[in-house]
Amino acid sequence: MALPMRNLLMDPARYLQSFRLFLAKSTEHQSMQEFVERQLPAVIDSIGNGKSTINILSIGGGAGEIDLLILSKVQARYPGVTINNDVIEPSADQISKYKERVAKTSNLENVKFTWHEETAYEYESRMNAEKKSKKWDFIHMIQMLYYVKDIPATIRYFHSLLETQGKLLIILVSGTSGWETLWKKYGCSFPLDDLCSYVSSADMKKILDSAGLKYQLHELPSHMDITSCFIEGDKDGELLLDFLTETFEFSKNAPPELKHQVMEELRKPQCSEERDGKVVFNNNLGAIVVEP
């Protein structure tokens, strides 16, 4: 008898396991790296003009892989300038990986790191309680808005902390991705429990438009090999299914009819394509640069 479905975040160890597998099986980080290499220099071109210190806020910085790439671009644009890099990240495990990465990276002498083991909402509440509102030259939220309860309020708050030349970068799944198709259709059947909500670049555009904010949207092509999801009993396939549905042990615990429908959906052209005998999921991202 299947247990009731539970949100994957209820089991942090399995969540991290499935997340790391997702990174290994997808071009998620490669497509972000390409964006950082090619398009970020123009985004940060004027954030530090005339400043002796640049303040950067990373919200949901994870293990720091993309953060350090971003910092290298800021350093290249503003050589020798002091950078304060504050990181908001609720996972102690991810923070310790981030610190390990920093320890192994050279050329960070002019960067001062401060880690806050808390959520974006906890950070906002703490700043309000302490009556602080530090301004930032660059704020980035990479793949973290799914874990925020009130997305428009969170955007409003952090946008209000931008300096006059500052920029807010948001990266999340694209409205053209397989995630959009899967979650718009089946999201209401997955056990979200307030821990997680689905939001894409298409939703983000509506939020930013209604707030009257100016932004540019860049589409970042990305894909993920989900072939193992269709091999009965495959451990990697089961972990990837957990990640795709945000459900703990989806294969074992989903009602058979729901599992059948999700597996069929994942094969459809709106979600995936068949390439060289592999099932390749559309993992496209949207990068949104919001003006102050």
Side-chain angles (χ1 to χ4, degrees), residues 51 91 189 249:
K51 298 194 166 208
S91 162
S189 305
E249 298 197 337

Side-chain angles (χ1 to χ4, degrees), residues 64-89:
E65 215 169 329
I66 303 299
D67 283 22
L68 293 188
L69 281 179
I70 290 171
L71 286 169
S72 71
K73 293 295 163 205
V74 178
Q75 287 176 308
R77 172 66 185 87
Y78 299 100
V81 170
T82 301
I83 299 170
N84 289 324
N85 187 70
D86 278 39
V87 182
I88 299 169
E89 170 54 57

